[in-house]
Amino acid sequence: EMCIRDRFKAINQNIHKYTLTLEVFDVENMNIKQEPKQIVVEAEAFNINIELKFPQPNDENLLDFGAVRVYEVKEQQFSLKNTGLYKVKYSFSMKKKVFRDCFQIEPSEAELLPGQEKAILIKFSSKTELKLRTNNSTTDIIMDILEGESNQ
């Protein structure tokens, strides 16, 4: 028994199909003859395409909550659209505790089928006075896109 590994790395979206021929040779001269076997190797590389749609389009992908009173709940909404070929899973996470305490994201994780669009509601409320500033070098709320899956 022997294990053969084939690595696949694609740069562009494409469907690949190759045929390998496995030939076994009798190196010990035991008169064992085997016919060559064809092995079909298929792989697909695809892009994961998620479109973000904000109520007021902006280059920074920001939602501006403006001034919010302590204990007041302010809501903003945007949408995600799967423009790719396969379903994808996404989830939101927040690095800093202050963001986890003040922001609520609904739904925080879900699946999107190809062509499907989903509204994302973000609620902000703080129990204390605080000032949050936008910093272009870091992201405070992260959207993770988990690998898509084929429906086939």
Side-chain angles (χ1 to χ4, degrees), residues 13-151:
Q13 181 169 304
N14 204 349
I15 295 175
H16 303 273
K17 185 174 182 178
Y18 301 100
T19 302
L20 302 175
T21 303
L22 176 65
E23 295 182 17
V24 178
F25 294 98
D26 180 10
V27 294
E28 296 177 354
N29 293 321
M30 299 178 73
N31 290 327
I32 299 173
K33 176 90 171 134
Q34 291 188 8
E35 293 298 316
K37 300 228 181 203
Q38 300 291 314
I39 301 171
V40 177
V41 179
E42 296 179 3
E44 180 176 3
F46 57 92
N47 294 323
I48 297 175
N49 297 314
I50 300 292
E51 182 180 312
L52 299 166
K53 294 182 180 178
F54 290 89
Q56 285 128 13
N58 60 80
D59 294 334
E60 297 85 23
N61 293 335
L62 295 175
L63 292 173
D64 186 357
F65 285 85
V68 182
R69 296 179 188 269
V70 173
Y71 287 105
E72 178 184 357
V73 177
K74 198 158 193 184
E75 298 179 351
Q76 294 258 0
Q77 188 170 316
F78 70 97
S79 64
L80 299 175
K81 183 174 183 179
N82 180 0
T83 58
L85 299 174
Y86 300 108
K87 73 178 176 181
V88 293
K89 295 177 185 177
Y90 70 86
S91 68
F92 289 96
S93 60
M94 293 171 254
K95 294 189 282 187
K96 298 176 185 172
K97 183 180 183 328
V98 66
F99 285 91
R100 292 190 302 270
D101 290 344
C102 296
F103 288 95
Q104 184 179 355
I105 302 173
E106 298 173 2
S108 63
E109 59 183 56
E111 287 185 353
L112 287 173
L113 298 174
Q116 183 180 12
E117 187 168 342
K118 186 173 288 285
I120 308 297
L121 180 66
I122 299 187
K123 295 179 184 179
F124 175 84
S125 180
S126 178
K127 296 176 184 170
T128 61
E129 186 174 327
L130 60 98
K131 185 164 187 135
L132 300 175
R133 291 200 170 102
T134 303
N135 182 346
N136 290 336
S137 66
T138 62
T139 302
D140 297 308
I141 298 176
I142 301 166
M143 181 177 67
D144 293 312
I145 303 291
L146 307 173
E147 211 167 295
E149 292 181 12
S150 170
N151 293 329

